[in-house]
Amino acid sequence: MIEALTRGIKLGGITNSLAKAKIAEIKSSANFCVPLKSGAGSESKPLVIVGDLIKRGTVIGAPSDETSGFVYSPCSGAVVSIKDKVNSLGENCLNVEIEPAHKDSLLYFRPLENRDNNNLFGRLIESGSFDNWGKRYPSYHKYINPNTIGARTLIVKLFDSDPYCVSNLKIAEDYAKEVALGALCYFKVSVAVKLIFVGSKAVSKSTNQKIYDAILDEINKSDMKTNQVSFVTVSKVYPNDEDHLLTKKVLKKTIAVSVPVSDKGVFIENAQTCLNFYRAVYDNLPTTEAVYTIAGNNLKNQGVYLVKNGLVPQNVFASVDIKNKELFKQYSIGGTFNGISQCDTSVGLPLSVSTLFSNKWNDENFKERDCINCGRCNARCPIKLSPMMIDNFAINKDFARAKRYGVLSCIDCGVCSYVCPAKRHLSQRISDTAQAIKQRRTM
Amino acid sequence: MNQFKVTHSPFVKSANSVNFIKEQKLIMLIMVFVVGLVMTNWQALYILGIALASALVFELLYNIVCYEKIRVDFLEVLICSITFTCLVGYKTPLYVPVIAMAFSIIVCKMVFGKNENHIVNASAGGALFVGIIFSQGANLFVRVSGSGFMRNPYGALLENNIADFNIIRCLKGQISASIGCVCLAVVAVALIYLIATHSVGIKIPIIAVVSFVLMTFAINQFNYEYILPYLFSGNFLFVTTFMLTEFSTSPNTTLGQFIYAIIFGVGASLIIKYSGGGDMAILALLVCVNCLSPLLDRVIRPHYFGEGANE
């Protein structure tokens, strides 16, 4: 009953099978297909040509503008091709295909002379650890945005609210020390006055306590004041980890969804980005891999895996074993509820996401019916939109009313589509309408 | 797998589907009907058979004439005909369901809205229509008990003799009522089941019942003895469980649902008190609040998170 009154989705017990999983590595000798664009930002410029012999960590893509970033080779080998191909977002971009060599050799960054703000910021940019999956600009740009107002706070997420994803939790469990040091680097870069680590009530109190104790140990060794650090746990409701909702829950601060939280002095990182930053600063390693949760009821070996940039899903699925190949028709990259569903298993996996998901495909479950006006989408929308009304406006191309009903504030969480008993593709149409309004064009 | 296809709809969907919701409602309606059948008379089966056949024929005819398609939403038709049967007495003449279903399906369901989108509850519309044309000139909002096929169970209340009201008899189904309302214990169980399986929303029935109880308490000099007779008499509980909660005829916003349920609850209580109310009056009230629902949806726009804040 309480669940019915909760906004968002509360799914219990799903992560239980993943709770005991350890971070494993997917070994593949197949070619890598590294996309030079993996998010909403611009495409990076290729710095290699076909036939080049490169090491792991060689720069293969450089930023073309402030919304793109550095891309590093995930392995040693030879560049086989550079061709225009669809990426995980379904957009065309240049993909660098690399044939891995038998022996992997690493190319490191030069060590930092000192870890002051400027040096750390420079390392953050060149690390390639930021993601440009975000809607507006890559995560490093927020730290130098002149429009930022208010006292600065850094929030580090140690969880994922997606019930099928445990990547950040596993990183926090296994690399608490590194995450703490990475967070301290971000703390310096952001010039924040407060650092808040956020855990989830989805895991036991003892697990959270263990993580916090390990983090606190590292913080105490630094020159940071203890009253600047705090720990918070939030309930296990999807999508609690969305920036604006998290800010509301942790800081009790309401920021309009159309405004990035960083504009109001709230910077949000997660365990993965902190670990990447730590490696770039302390180990001088460029970011070439990410921790993925690979889950779904059609996979035999669900778990948490270290996935290299540009690894091809068909190799990943070969490693984790598909239970029923007949029912494997699509998979999702980047979140179960708001990820991108794909059929093509030859796209390169990006570093900016943390979930790969494949359930047994049931066509019936995705067949749209007429809306029955049940209002569940309204009741569950975490930002109190009226998806059924907006969907109606979207179908009638009534963009003015869609805008008045807050279509531009949609956070693309996919809760409305999940709960809809008529299986309507609400989030997809709402997202398309928002895009159309933004681009000032008619659909 | 080679065919490229990308979508950002969620990859997982909740198991709850439209068919599931309708099936749950149908199961509960059948249960209520069967109990009513056992408690009253097997003649009720005739009424159901004729109502069902009529509904099927009229929906089929309408679809063939208007859309040139041979298509019937069987679950909807079943729900509509069983609901109607539950609303009438077992002595109802057999031509009545035919007229009621013609009005329900063609006017209430198809002309004004089509499937899933109609404004007025189809069964209520049909029952009210036949109630009006066969009421022998009686005012709808006064006592309609007696010889009419739309039988009124408010015996004790109508005689203004609260002491005659027996809750045990009411729960056991030993009262004079329409087929679906003889045993209100079963209706209450159905309501709980439907809420538990998320087949109906929780807000509307709870608010309707609470506002009904509070209003009854207030208008009867705060005498609690009137609450149970009001609540367990007639078809208030049946209408609240199976008709007021219908998705397509109720508002979508939380505030809208509050207003909708309060109007129904308060109105039902007032009708019983001041008009001697019966099944027909409650149905008329339901049709009125159904008509209010699109207006509530239009007028009430919920404020979304961060609207106007720091933009």
Side-chain angles (χ1 to χ4, degrees):
Chain A
M1 212 62 77
I2 290 164
E3 188 190 334
L5 299 171
T6 313
R7 288 194 173 270
I9 305 169
K10 196 172 183 180
L11 295 172
I14 290 175
T15 53
N16 286 354
S17 59
L18 297 168
K20 291 171 191 166
K22 294 279 171 201
I23 300 174
E25 194 173 349
I26 290 184
K27 285 179 182 165
S28 169
S29 56
N31 288 4
F32 287 83
C33 184
V34 184
L36 294 183
K37 172 177 163 54
S38 60
S42 306
E43 187 177 330
S44 301
K45 288 182 293 189
L47 293 184
V48 287
I49 53 170
V50 175
D52 275 0
L53 292 175
I54 51 177
K55 288 183 177 178
R56 183 179 165 196
T58 305
V59 190
I60 57 173
S64 56
D65 63 16
E66 61 181 16
T67 63
S68 55
F70 286 99
V71 183
Y72 296 94
S73 167
C75 62
S76 301
V79 177
V80 179
S81 72
I82 302 172
K83 56 187 176 188
D84 210 25
K85 201 184 159 206
V86 168
N87 69 1
S88 56
L89 281 169
E91 295 171 344
N92 273 331
C93 71
L94 284 178
N95 282 255
V96 179
E97 193 180 348
I98 303 165
E99 188 184 340
H102 293 297
K103 200 180 169 190
D104 211 16
S105 52
L106 256 164
L107 204 61
Y108 292 90
F109 290 131
R110 56 178 163 67
L112 283 180
E113 285 170 10
N114 61 56
R115 290 175 194 141
D116 62 9
N117 287 10
N118 286 337
N119 279 340
L120 284 174
F121 186 65
R123 180 51 56 91
L124 175 64
I125 295 173
E126 67 182 347
S127 71
S129 77
F130 59 87
D131 64 78
N132 57 354
W133 187 253
K135 284 180 183 171
R136 208 155 136 175
Y137 34 61
S139 51
Y140 77 84
H141 187 267
K142 65 194 174 192
Y143 295 115
I144 50 164
N145 181 8
N147 297 326
T148 303
I149 53 168
R152 294 177 166 223
T153 307
L154 176 68
I155 296 175
V156 179
K157 290 185 284 189
L158 304 175
F159 73 106
D160 298 278
S161 68
D162 186 335
Y164 297 90
C165 181
V166 289
S167 301
N168 280 314
L169 175 68
K170 290 292 160 190
I171 293 170
E173 275 181 3
D174 293 0
Y175 302 99
K177 179 189 154 193
E178 288 85 349
V179 169
L181 290 172
L184 285 174
C185 293
Y186 270 119
F187 188 71
K188 275 189 181 172
V189 168
S190 63
V191 205
V193 291
K194 204 166 181 188
L195 171 59
I196 303 172
F197 290 91
V198 186
S200 166
K201 287 177 184 166
V203 289
S204 65
K205 275 186 183 174
S206 58
T207 309
N208 275 331
Q209 196 58 49
K210 206 173 136 191
I211 294 169
Y212 294 160
D213 286 346
I215 287 172
L216 208 56
D217 272 355
E218 282 309 314
I219 302 271
N220 287 336
K221 287 177 198 165
S222 71
D223 54 355
M224 199 175 170
K225 293 172 190 165
T226 44
N227 62 0
Q228 286 181 302
V229 188
S230 57
F231 299 94
V232 177
T233 48
V234 293
S235 57
K236 188 193 175 187
V237 174
Y238 173 80
N240 255 352
D241 59 350
E242 195 278 331
D243 291 359
H244 298 81
L245 298 176
L246 194 67
T247 306
K248 175 73 180 167
K249 284 187 190 302
V250 174
L251 300 175
K252 314 280 181 245
K253 198 171 172 181
T254 304
I255 298 171
V257 178
S258 52
V259 179
V261 291
S262 58
D263 283 5
K264 304 291 175 191
V266 181
F267 303 100
I268 299 180
E269 296 295 339
N270 58 34
Q272 174 79 70
T273 53
C274 288
L275 178 64
N276 290 343
F277 199 12
Y278 164 84
R279 283 181 174 160
V281 172
Y282 290 89
D283 298 342
N284 304 311
L285 282 171
T287 308
T288 57
E289 56 195 11
V291 176
Y292 268 59
T293 303
I294 300 173
N297 65 17
N298 201 20
L299 303 176
K300 272 184 196 163
N301 304 316
Q302 294 186 69
V304 190
Y305 295 92
L306 212 51
V307 172
K308 285 181 179 168
N309 193 12
L311 192 66
V312 180
Q314 63 198 24
N315 299 322
V316 175
F317 289 125
S319 306
V320 296
D321 280 351
I322 296 166
K323 278 182 192 167
N324 188 334
K325 287 185 179 163
E326 299 269 304
L327 296 174
F328 181 84
K329 291 184 183 169
Q330 288 205 355
Y331 65 97
S332 168
I333 299 178
T336 321
F337 298 96
N338 59 352
I340 308 289
S341 297
Q342 290 240 18
C343 292
D344 191 342
T345 51
S346 64
V347 296
L349 291 174
L351 294 179
S352 50
V353 298
S354 56
T355 317
L356 204 59
F357 180 83
S358 176
N359 248 6
K360 286 174 184 165
W361 185 265
N362 175 7
D363 286 328
E364 270 304 302
N365 215 11
F366 292 85
K367 209 165 134 187
E368 262 193 308
R369 290 186 58 150
D370 287 342
C371 175
I372 57 164
N373 294 302
C374 66
R376 284 180 196 188
C377 49
N378 294 355
R380 293 292 184 91
C381 177
I383 56 160
K384 301 180 186 174
L385 289 180
S386 182
M388 55 179 289
M389 299 286 266
I390 297 173
D391 183 46
N392 209 6
F393 301 144
I395 290 167
N396 295 322
K397 297 188 171 49
D398 186 353
F399 293 159
R401 288 181 76 186
K403 201 176 167 188
R404 199 161 73 84
Y405 273 72
V407 68
L408 296 178
S409 294
C410 177
I411 56 170
D412 290 337
C413 62
V415 166
C416 49
S417 293
Y418 174 81
V419 297
C420 180
K423 314 298 172 200
R424 295 183 68 75
H425 302 163
L426 296 166
S427 62
Q428 189 168 359
R429 266 195 295 275
I430 290 170
S431 184
D432 289 346
T433 308
Q435 282 294 329
I437 291 172
K438 279 177 193 166
Q439 291 169 10
R440 302 278 180 200
R441 62 174 169 82
T442 51
M443 288 168 79
Chain B
M1 289 306 288
N2 295 326
Q3 189 193 356
F4 178 71
K5 187 179 168 188
V6 169
T7 160
H8 45 82
S9 261
F11 199 69
V12 285
K13 299 265 188 184
S14 104
N16 210 327
S17 68
V18 174
N19 278 355
F20 173 82
I21 291 169
K22 286 183 181 173
E23 282 159 14
Q24 298 308 309
K25 195 171 176 180
L26 186 63
I27 291 167
M28 287 300 107
L29 271 172
I30 291 171
M31 183 181 81
V32 169
F33 175 75
V34 168
V35 172
L37 192 71
V38 172
M39 300 279 182
T40 56
N41 196 298
W42 57 269
Q43 286 177 33
L45 266 182
Y46 285 139
I47 301 169
L48 175 64
I50 290 171
L52 180 58
S54 314
L56 277 172
V57 169
F58 287 123
E59 182 153 340
L60 196 63
L61 277 177
Y62 188 89
N63 281 332
I64 290 171
V65 172
C66 295
Y67 305 110
E68 295 176 354
K69 280 181 187 170
I70 301 174
R71 194 183 78 92
V72 173
D73 187 346
F74 196 66
L75 275 176
E76 273 287 309
V77 164
L78 264 175
I79 289 171
C80 185
S81 50
I82 298 178
T83 310
F84 171 78
T85 314
C86 286
L87 287 170
V88 296
Y90 70 91
K91 284 182 180 171
T92 304
L94 294 182
Y95 57 87
V96 169
V98 181
I99 300 166
M101 283 300 111
F103 191 82
S104 289
I105 300 294
I106 296 174
V107 180
C108 299
K109 199 173 149 193
M110 293 304 194
V111 175
F112 292 102
K114 289 183 222 171
N115 270 353
E116 328 289 9
N117 215 4
H118 44 279
I119 298 166
V120 172
N121 184 289
S123 322
L128 192 61
F129 180 68
V130 292
I132 292 168
I133 60 172
F134 296 109
S135 63
Q136 296 167 338
N139 185 341
L140 289 176
F141 293 91
V142 296
R143 305 162 188 184
V144 290
S145 67
S147 58
F149 57 82
M150 197 67 87
R151 297 202 294 160
N152 194 329
Y154 298 94
L157 281 175
L158 295 177
E159 301 305 323
N160 220 0
N161 185 2
I162 285 295
D164 275 2
F165 180 81
N166 187 331
I167 181 72
I168 305 297
R169 277 182 62 204
C170 201
L171 288 173
K172 280 184 179 173
Q174 294 166 346
I175 54 167
S176 169
S178 56
I179 298 162
C181 309
V182 281
C183 185
L184 288 156
V186 183
V187 179
V189 169
L191 177 60
I192 293 165
Y193 177 81
L194 290 175
I195 290 173
T197 55
H198 300 286
S199 303
V200 300
I202 186 172
K203 289 173 203 151
I204 291 174
I206 298 293
I207 295 163
V209 170
V210 169
S211 55
F212 179 86
V213 166
L214 291 177
M215 194 64 195
T216 306
F217 191 54
I219 59 178
N220 287 301
Q221 291 82 43
F222 301 100
N223 185 348
Y224 65 89
E225 285 185 342
Y226 281 86
I227 292 173
L228 283 179
Y230 269 61
L231 190 62
F232 285 94
S233 300
N235 61 8
F236 171 77
L237 210 55
F238 181 85
V239 170
T240 305
T241 304
F242 293 106
M243 298 160 92
L244 189 70
T245 51
E246 195 185 21
F247 293 130
S248 56
T249 57
S250 53
N252 307 314
T253 56
T254 306
L255 181 59
Q257 288 173 351
F258 265 85
I259 295 170
Y260 171 82
I262 287 172
I263 292 174
F264 183 76
V266 169
S269 177
L270 287 173
I271 281 170
I272 294 170
K273 170 76 179 173
Y274 295 111
S275 304
D279 298 3
M280 289 287 285
I282 301 281
L283 290 180
L285 178 66
L286 175 71
V287 169
C288 291
V289 289
N290 279 172
C291 293
L292 267 183
S293 161
L295 184 72
L296 290 170
D297 279 342
R298 185 168 273 266
V299 171
I300 298 165
R301 186 175 69 81
H303 289 274
Y304 52 86
F305 177 86
E307 186 179 0
N310 308 316
E311 285 195 75

